[in-house]
Amino acid sequence: MMAAGTAAACGASVTLIEKNPRVGRKLMITGKGRCNVLNNCDVTTFIQNVPVNGRFLYSAVSRFTPADAYAFFEEIGVPLKTERGNRCYPQSDKAVDVVDAMRRFVLDNGCRLVQDTVLSLETENGEAVGVKGEKQTYFADSVIVCCGGKSYPLTGSTGDGYRLAQQAGHTIIPPKPSLVPLESSDPECKSMQGLSLRNVALKIRDNNTQKAVYTDFGEMLFTHFGMSGPMILSASSHLRDIDDGRYTASIDLKPALDEEQLDKRLQRDLHENANRDVVNAFSKLLPRKLIVPALKRWGVPFDKKCHSVTKEERRRLVLLLKNYTIPISGFRPIEEAIVTSGGVKVSEINPKTMESKLLKGLYFAGEVIDADAYTGGFNLQIAWSTGRLAGESAV
């Protein structure tokens, strides 16, 4: 929609081919239906939040910055607000307002909107001259491929763009899920299903190198299959080739307290509950669903009286709460990923125009390109900036 509306605004005659009955289906589900349209940051910060091929996007994002995108949405009738982490949402908290405004932007600039499924590119003498759809063939001076990745296929992103790019001779970096929940073989995750941890510190360690590949502070969630939530989704984009046993998540359940402070807190709780069983002593310290799994790991009998807990046992509990480990066994399926990592190889695209280096008149924008970012509005900014640049360049 950004590419089509921009090209039309520049004076081109534009046909936007959409296989769904409605445009913007994927936009409708972003930000839990609120649509985190962008991140209100500067260009340098933006690039730092794109771990996969961020530098390739420098030209596009410098031409159409987050500040430009913010002004654009306000102009087309979507007043925005900025929340924690510089995440921007429509003031209405409704993704449908963004979709409707983008649809208006397309139609008001004179685009023709057609429902059809594109089957192949039409080429002539090393140039893109149109596309063949199920219903008819559409001839054009330029073709912009911007049909997403493979995540959330029900919204229409079923990898069509990769097929079209390959037809033009492009290399496709194999798609894999990014910003996706993580699975664990630890059965305790299922018993803690639905437990949301806030203000905890997370570290993901690569057991092959013994190095931390990701650290964060914030929220996460236990599920029947493992872990999800904002920190886990961000962490997933740092993990490569998950073999069961390669990565371990370490959670500091009490990051505000150092070991000495936490030990004093434990002493106080144990003293206040001196004659009670330890299983009943930690309701103020830990969420209810975490008490039994934590005590199982601690190894102290549940019916041990608090007054008889030794200094060494306290020490073990402190270390456990500061380093609560969960093994990671894999990604959830790509269908559950927020974005797809992989796609059209960036060295085969001109970063200043988004035009294919292999086929004149063919352009790419958005998730079909091998560039993806952390959660927080950065991936949609990639769509806005590359769509804008492709639209202008095609004209």
Side-chain angles (χ1 to χ4, degrees):
M1 288 188 282
M2 179 62 90
T6 298
C10 292
S13 168
V14 180
T15 300
L16 172 56
I17 305 170
E18 165 64 60
K19 69 179 180 183
N20 291 318
R22 266 184 70 100
V23 289
R25 287 250 342 245
K26 193 180 254 188
L27 264 181
M28 293 289 282
I29 60 172
T30 59
K32 296 177 182 169
R34 295 173 62 212
C35 194
N36 179 192
V37 282
L38 60 101
N39 192 285
N40 200 358
C41 63
D42 58 32
V43 172
T44 304
T45 305
F46 175 83
I47 299 297
Q48 288 167 352
N49 280 276
V50 186
V52 179
N53 294 321
R55 287 184 65 185
F56 167 79
L57 297 168
Y58 190 82
S59 290
V61 178
S62 297
R63 286 273 296 272
F64 192 70
T65 66
D68 294 332
Y70 194 104
F72 168 81
F73 282 105
E74 299 250 309
E75 275 169 31
I76 64 169
V78 186
L80 301 180
K81 59 181 175 179
T82 304
E83 297 186 1
R84 64 178 182 82
N86 290 326
R87 290 167 161 84
C88 294
Y89 296 88
Q91 287 182 14
S92 64
D93 282 329
K94 290 177 182 171
V96 68
D97 290 353
V98 179
V99 176
D100 288 347
M102 287 301 290
R103 186 173 181 276
R104 278 197 310 274
F105 169 66
V106 165
L107 296 175
D108 289 353
N109 278 304
C111 292
R112 186 165 69 111
L113 193 52
V114 174
Q115 188 186 351
D116 199 352
T117 299
V118 172
L119 303 174
S120 60
L121 288 171
E122 292 288 312
T123 62
E124 212 172 86
N125 304 322
E127 286 190 38
V129 294
V131 293
K132 183 181 182 185
E134 284 181 351
K135 295 177 181 174
Q136 68 173 84
T137 298
Y138 306 84
F139 291 101
D141 299 319
S142 305
V143 175
I144 305 175
V145 173
C146 39
C147 35
K150 285 190 86 167
S151 50
Y152 293 126
L154 291 176
T155 64
S157 46
T158 49
D160 301 0
Y162 306 141
R163 194 181 69 249
L164 298 174
Q166 279 176 313
Q167 215 192 318
H170 278 280
T171 308
I172 304 299
I173 305 302
K176 74 176 193 66
S178 187
L179 300 184
V180 68
L182 297 173
E183 295 181 343
S184 174
S185 55
D186 188 340
E188 292 295 356
C189 289
K190 190 167 187 179
S191 72
M192 295 188 284
Q193 180 179 346
L195 171 61
S196 178
L197 297 178
R198 293 184 178 180
N199 302 320
V200 295
L202 173 73
K203 185 181 289 180
I204 307 282
R205 190 176 68 246
D206 184 335
N207 297 319
N208 292 349
T209 62
Q210 294 304 312
K211 288 183 177 172
V213 294
Y214 185 76
T215 56
D216 203 352
F217 177 86
E219 292 178 37
M220 59 170 290
L221 173 75
F222 287 105
T223 67
H224 67 285
F225 55 75
M227 300 172 288
S228 188
M231 287 199 298
I232 298 297
L233 297 180
S234 292
S236 71
S237 55
H238 291 259
L239 308 186
R240 302 281 178 268
D241 307 319
I242 293 185
D243 303 316
D244 199 356
R246 178 174 177 183
Y247 294 105
T248 301
S250 167
I251 306 158
D252 183 348
L253 295 163
K254 296 293 170 186
L257 305 174
D258 62 26
E259 290 181 12
E260 191 180 330
Q261 291 168 323
L262 183 53
D263 186 49
K264 284 180 181 168
R265 168 72 196 269
L266 284 178
Q267 287 181 56
R268 192 168 75 241
D269 285 3
L270 291 166
H271 178 70
E272 286 174 3
N273 295 279
N275 296 314
R276 302 181 77 188
D277 296 345
V278 290
V279 75
N280 298 317
F282 298 117
S283 57
K284 289 181 183 173
L285 183 71
L286 297 172
R288 183 177 53 82
K289 282 190 175 181
L290 190 56
I291 292 172
V292 169
L295 293 191
K296 276 185 188 171
R297 291 192 184 193
W298 187 24
V300 167
F302 284 20
D303 60 354
K304 181 165 187 162
K305 299 301 177 189
C306 290
H307 63 74
S308 60
V309 172
T310 66
K311 184 178 180 182
E312 175 52 33
E313 286 169 339
R314 255 191 2 252
R315 169 88 184 141
R316 285 209 322 264
L317 185 55
V318 166
L319 294 177
L320 172 68
L321 299 180
K322 296 293 284 180
N323 181 31
Y324 196 90
T325 57
I326 302 285
I328 296 166
S329 58
F331 297 114
R332 289 297 283 168
I334 196 166
E335 291 79 13
E336 294 179 29
I338 293 176
V339 295
T340 307
S341 186
V344 182
K345 194 174 184 180
V346 296
S347 61
E348 298 169 356
I349 301 171
N350 182 340
K352 291 189 165 69
T353 61
M354 294 294 131
E355 186 175 21
S356 164
K357 292 180 179 178
L358 310 184
L359 188 69
K360 194 168 164 41
L362 177 65
Y363 297 80
F364 297 100
E367 199 179 353
V368 73
I369 300 168
D370 180 29
D372 59 277
Y374 300 139
T375 183
F378 302 104
N379 287 290
L380 277 181
Q381 181 67 46
I382 294 175
W384 312 135
S385 295
T386 57
R388 190 80 166 188
L389 183 54
E392 289 172 350
S393 305
V395 178

